[in-house]
Amino acid sequence: EGNRPPNIYFSRCRRVKVTGITLKDPASWNEVYNQCRNVYVDGIRVDSKAYWNNDGIDIVDCDGVVIKNSYFDAADDVLCFKSFDPTKICQNVTVDSCVVRSSANGLKFGSTNKGGFRNFKITHLKMFDTYRSAIALEDVDGGIIDNILIDGIDAHNIGNVIFLRIGDRRTEGRVPSFTHVT
């Protein structure tokens, strides 16, 4: 499991721009942006179904991300936001006009959420054939989920529309919270 490489992995980079490419069948999560600033993804196609745990795109503790006009087809979660570091916040993220197909969740916050998610605007997503949820917000590691706007989701043939989970898996004394989620 730990030796499976993704197609793209950027860590602690600034001004990352990925446009107009097709990414197909990685051994792991398709593309990972970890603690990056100012990430711009536009007009990409993702076919990520070679293994059951293949996410479409993972944004981990980044600041300033735009994802738009893209098509994702993944075996696991598609638009996946994570926070691995309790001292970091994944924040200032815009997602617009994407098409999503998933064998798991179309849009997922967590479940790893040690620091949190703040200032997200997610609009105009078309989702289909998601086995689990169109939208999943999970906070079980003591992080925050704050100021999240999700609007204009067109979802068909999905397991359920919205899944919310708050818990105490590895909170280490931190209190998980959902505030200003629309």
Side-chain angles (χ1 to χ4, degrees):
E1 203 51 37
N3 292 325
R4 298 179 307 120
N7 278 333
I8 292 175
Y9 187 96
F10 285 100
S11 183
R12 295 180 178 95
C13 297
R14 292 176 184 250
R15 296 181 298 281
V16 176
K17 184 176 182 181
V18 178
T19 63
I21 63 171
T22 297
L23 298 166
K24 186 168 175 57
D25 291 335
S28 180
W29 298 346
N30 182 62
E31 53 192 311
V32 180
Y33 302 88
N34 180 28
Q35 296 183 20
C36 295
R37 296 189 65 161
N38 302 318
V39 174
Y40 182 81
V41 176
D42 186 8
I44 68 168
R45 286 190 66 80
V46 170
D47 183 353
S48 183
K49 300 184 302 286
Y51 186 67
W52 70 270
N53 188 17
N54 281 27
D55 291 352
I57 185 169
D58 288 82
I59 305 297
V60 182
D61 291 321
C62 290
D63 187 355
V65 176
V66 173
I67 303 167
K68 64 182 191 173
N69 305 316
S70 295
Y71 177 85
F72 298 90
D73 187 352
D76 202 2
D77 304 318
V78 174
L79 300 166
C80 196
F81 302 100
K82 297 185 179 295
S83 179
F84 290 150
D85 187 333
T87 67
K88 306 281 187 219
I89 300 281
C90 190
Q91 63 185 353
N92 304 318
V93 175
T94 300
V95 179
D96 184 57
S97 300
C98 292
V99 177
V100 171
R101 204 252 11 123
S102 167
S103 297
N105 300 291
L107 170 63
K108 184 174 182 185
F109 290 78
S111 65
T112 304
N113 181 11
K114 292 185 177 183
F117 311 108
R118 181 186 311 135
N119 303 332
F120 279 69
K121 182 178 181 184
I122 300 169
T123 54
H124 307 107
L125 298 183
K126 292 182 182 178
M127 294 186 190
F128 63 98
D129 297 345
T130 61
Y131 176 74
R132 292 190 184 131
S133 306
I135 302 163
L137 292 102
E138 302 184 37
D139 193 349
V140 294
D141 299 320
I144 64 163
I145 296 178
D146 180 42
N147 195 28
I148 310 296
L149 171 67
I150 303 169
D151 189 26
I153 307 300
D154 181 10
H156 299 273
N157 193 28
I158 56 173
N160 58 289
V161 179
I162 299 172
F163 177 75
L164 304 172
R165 178 180 177 206
I166 195 164
D168 187 359
R169 178 175 66 180
R170 294 183 295 258
T171 61
E172 299 166 3
R174 297 180 311 274
V175 178
S177 68
F178 285 53
T179 53
H180 307 104
V181 177
T182 305

